[in-house]
Amino acid sequence: MSKRADCVIVGGGIIGCGAAYYLSKLGAKRVLLLEREKFLATGATAKSAAAVRHLFTTPINIRLSMRSLDVFERFEEEFDTDPALVQNGYMFVAPNDAQWEILQKNTAIQKAQGVRVELVGPREILKIVPQLNAEDVLGGSFGPRDGTIDPNSVTMGYAQRARAQGVEFLMECEATGVRVEGGRVRGVETDKGRIEAPLLIDASGPHLAVLAKKIGVDVPALPYRRMLATTERFDKITKTLPLTIDMASGWYCRREADGVMMGRANKKEISSFDETVDWSWIEKMIEAGVHRVPVLEEAQISKAWAGLYTVTPDRHPVVGPLPGVEGFYLIGGFSGRGIMHSPAACEALAQRILLGKSDLDIDPLRFERFAEGDLQVETAVI
């Protein structure tokens, strides 16, 4: 295979398809998206907890959420695709003084950015989730506009419109290298042959660092395994269950169809591409869940799976050019927020590439911040 394109996007998940849509919407021509699997959205996108929220601790993450949720709320009208947005809310619960103090500070930051969020006491928490064990809970924060979404539907909405706008999708084609001459991108090597192109967007999710490494650049974005489990049909918990997070254990749950989805990050997990299920950790996840929502002891696990977070040192993505290599752009390292931030981040990158700047300031997400030490760590990561 020998092809030419004006822009090659590597990765057919929600970020790659979102970038393809916004680039073509702004008028980009001869855009080619490469996906190594047979179908789109089969990697990290398909294995996500699919949450959307405003409850972050840095202004850039909050602004990304606000922009993105605006898009999700009108997604069906704009894309003719139902994103299955369910706004049951998002709630952090704090079982000790230190966590309660953190929530109060975080809520003040969020309100200053215009977020609808409220601090709630144990009585209010029990009104929202009556089955929750609140004996050791001092309080919580609740974002009523937040909730969950269907990542596959959103990805297909982006892809359908991108195709209609002229983007070509090349499936079962893996990018294996980048051809750089004179300090700029000249093409992409694949397992099917070379593609000549002056512009490359790496949206490869957990593999974000791989292509840059081949040209001698280290991208500090590492993959970490995260596991989720769902129950069989379970009617003993409120139908409007928000995504609820126990700050003490890191355990969280939400409604998934007629059952409950739950997750918990293992802080001892080392970076890898391992996506096997560790059933000993699933047991610990269930134990933490039964402590916080005792009625879950009666639920039956239907399935469990693992996916990958791509984590950076400050828990913020990299969105923008790779320094020293003209035409090489990165968009990834969302640390578990690629789905919820895909509209805002992908549109901002498209504007940066085609217009020279974006109307959302993404300077805090520049690659150079790592070398500069200009890091503001996002602490509300699960």
Side-chain angles (χ1 to χ4, degrees):
M1 177 190 73
S2 179
K3 296 179 72 72
R4 291 183 179 274
D6 291 336
C7 174
V8 174
I9 299 171
V10 177
I14 198 167
I15 296 297
C17 291
Y21 165 70
Y22 284 107
L23 279 169
S24 56
K25 181 182 179 182
L26 287 175
K29 305 299 182 185
R30 295 205 305 172
V31 176
L32 175 61
L33 183 144
L34 307 181
E35 169 53 49
R36 68 179 187 173
E37 302 297 336
K38 189 174 181 179
F39 301 105
L40 298 171
T42 57
T45 298
K47 298 163 186 173
S48 165
V52 291
R53 61 176 164 120
H54 293 87
L55 307 187
F56 291 104
T57 63
T58 66
I60 182 60
N61 272 336
I62 294 169
R63 291 195 293 270
L64 287 167
S65 290
M66 296 179 78
R67 286 286 187 94
S68 294
L69 195 52
D70 285 345
V71 174
F72 290 141
E73 287 179 334
R74 64 174 191 273
F75 198 88
E76 186 169 12
E77 178 183 351
E78 182 175 346
F79 292 87
D80 196 27
T81 300
D82 181 5
L85 176 63
V86 178
Q87 292 171 290
N88 283 344
Y90 212 105
M91 182 165 66
F92 285 84
V93 295
N96 63 48
D97 289 332
Q99 292 156 354
W100 179 228
E101 184 177 349
I102 288 170
L103 278 189
Q104 293 177 78
K105 290 180 179 178
N106 291 352
T107 299
I109 293 169
Q110 293 150 11
K111 286 187 173 182
Q113 294 292 322
V115 174
R116 287 178 55 197
V117 58
E118 56 191 86
L119 290 171
V120 288
R123 289 184 180 181
E124 290 82 7
I125 290 172
L126 289 173
K127 288 179 182 178
I128 298 169
V129 186
Q131 298 82 14
L132 189 132
N133 169 21
E135 289 183 0
D136 59 343
V137 171
L138 298 180
S141 65
F142 182 65
R145 192 183 172 200
D146 301 341
T148 60
I149 205 159
D150 177 23
N152 185 69
S153 294
V154 173
T155 304
M156 295 309 143
Y158 289 147
Q160 177 180 307
R161 285 302 172 87
R163 283 192 176 101
Q165 291 164 178
V167 175
E168 180 182 356
F169 287 71
L170 190 56
M171 310 302 295
E172 297 181 275
C173 182
E174 182 175 1
T176 58
V178 185
R179 188 162 63 89
V180 177
E181 295 176 2
R184 70 156 300 119
V185 170
R186 299 296 180 182
V188 178
E189 303 291 344
T190 81
D191 59 355
K192 299 289 196 305
R194 177 178 293 177
I195 302 170
E196 304 291 339
L199 181 64
L200 166 66
I201 297 175
D202 190 341
S204 58
H207 302 274
L208 186 71
V210 174
L211 285 179
K213 183 70 172 178
K214 290 179 181 294
I215 58 172
V217 181
D218 289 320
V219 176
L222 299 175
Y224 286 87
R225 178 173 59 171
R226 294 289 186 268
M227 283 169 276
L228 293 165
T230 54
T231 72
E232 301 283 0
R233 181 187 180 97
F234 193 66
D235 296 325
K236 293 188 176 182
I237 196 165
T238 179
K239 297 290 185 183
T240 57
L241 175 72
L243 196 150
T244 303
I245 303 169
D246 182 343
M247 294 180 69
S249 66
W251 176 85
Y252 60 94
C253 70
R254 69 167 180 84
R255 268 291 180 187
E256 172 68 7
D258 292 326
V260 175
M261 177 189 289
M262 65 182 76
R264 184 188 182 194
N266 183 353
K267 295 181 180 179
K268 295 182 180 179
E269 193 79 50
I270 62 173
S271 176
S272 76
F273 290 99
D274 182 9
E275 294 187 60
T276 59
V277 174
D278 178 352
W279 286 99
S280 66
W281 184 253
I282 297 296
E283 290 177 5
K284 293 179 181 179
M285 179 193 301
I286 294 169
E287 290 173 4
V290 170
H291 167 73
R292 187 52 61 205
V293 183
V295 72
L296 284 175
E297 187 173 20
E298 302 175 34
Q300 297 294 317
I301 297 296
S302 61
K303 65 177 180 178
W305 67 96
L308 298 173
Y309 272 23
T310 312
V311 181
T312 66
D314 61 3
R315 309 304 190 265
H316 287 90
V318 182
V319 182
L322 186 67
V325 188
E326 187 178 351
F328 196 139
Y329 288 82
L330 298 168
I331 178 165
F334 285 87
S335 304
R337 303 185 302 277
I339 286 162
M340 74 176 80
H341 288 166
S342 62
C346 291
E347 182 176 33
L349 180 64
Q351 291 174 340
R352 169 70 173 77
I353 292 170
L354 296 179
L355 306 179
K357 64 178 181 179
S358 62
D359 56 15
L360 175 65
D361 180 14
I362 55 173
D363 186 65
L365 308 180
R366 69 195 184 281
F367 180 87
E368 295 91 332
R369 72 183 190 268
F370 301 114
E372 296 167 356
D374 186 15
L375 305 181
Q376 184 178 3
V377 178
E378 173 58 67
T379 58
V381 175
I382 59 174

